[in-house]
Amino acid sequence: MPPGEIIVTKTDPKGRITYANATFLAMAALDEAQAIGAPHSIIRHPDMPRCVFAHLWREIEAGREVFAYVNNLAADGAHYWVFAHVTPSRDAAGRLVGYHSNRRGASAAARAVVEPLYAELLAIERAHASRRDGLAASQAALAARLAALGRSYDELVLSLVRL
């Protein structure tokens, strides 16, 4: 990602893109017509563990902000790591209308911590014939790793921002 650039997207409550800034379009190798209305998962890299997205959705659906390191896949086959901050968006009456995400490039030092962890979680997911069993196993492995560190996922992720 170009230094200093921030990717911004907004989605509806189901995760369909309603707004994408020029940086998102360039990084995702999409034009606006391809992006608007598409599921945000259009940029999901197959090497991202599902348990990370399960955590993200659990948090934002509960009305909480979430931070995560994510490897995205562009339409042209390129991939790029980001540090994402996702928040629920509400109307004047307090009703959920969607989600807002800001992303910036992930540091090499943060990636050095996250990439092996994600590779381990992905291997656990793929070792199970059932996607449900794989997700449950990777969630358990992530919980065990975090417990051993004495940190929540958010605490781990935020500690890497300073690296």
Side-chain angles (χ1 to χ4, degrees), residues 82-104:
V82 296
F83 174 64
H85 176 214
V86 186
T87 59
S89 298
R90 301 193 178 280
D91 65 14
R95 291 181 299 257
L96 179 71
V97 295
Y99 302 103
H100 181 269
S101 178
N102 292 319
R103 284 148 291 169
R104 60 183 176 178

Side-chain angles (χ1 to χ4, degrees), residues 25-127:
L25 297 173
M27 293 301 298
L30 297 169
D31 62 38
E32 191 172 40
Q34 293 169 308
I36 303 301
H40 207 284
S41 61
I42 193 171
I43 59 167
R44 181 164 180 201
H45 196 290
D47 290 343
M48 274 296 298
R50 292 175 52 236
C51 67
V52 172
F53 290 112
H55 168 75
L56 186 147
W57 276 104
R58 185 173 48 255
E59 293 298 306
I60 60 175
E61 286 177 339
R64 295 184 290 267
E65 69 181 345
V66 68
F67 295 89
Y69 284 95
V70 180
N71 186 12
N72 289 322
L73 181 63
D76 63 5
H79 73 98
Y80 55 100
W81 279 89
V82 296
F83 174 64
H85 176 214
V86 186
T87 59
S89 298
R90 301 193 178 280
D91 65 14
R95 291 181 299 257
L96 179 71
V97 295
Y99 302 103
H100 181 269
S101 178
N102 292 319
R103 284 148 291 169
R104 60 183 176 178
S107 72
R111 287 179 48 199
V113 173
V114 172
E115 287 184 47
L117 172 61
Y118 284 11
E120 176 187 330
L121 296 171
L122 185 65
I124 291 168
E125 289 177 3
R126 290 180 173 167

Side-chain angles (χ1 to χ4, degrees), residues 1-23:
M1 248 190 76
E5 292 288 324
I6 296 176
I7 292 173
V8 179
T9 53
K10 295 179 182 181
T11 70
D12 67 14
K14 296 206 181 277
R16 291 180 297 253
I17 299 169
T18 59
Y19 168 81
N21 73 348
T23 304

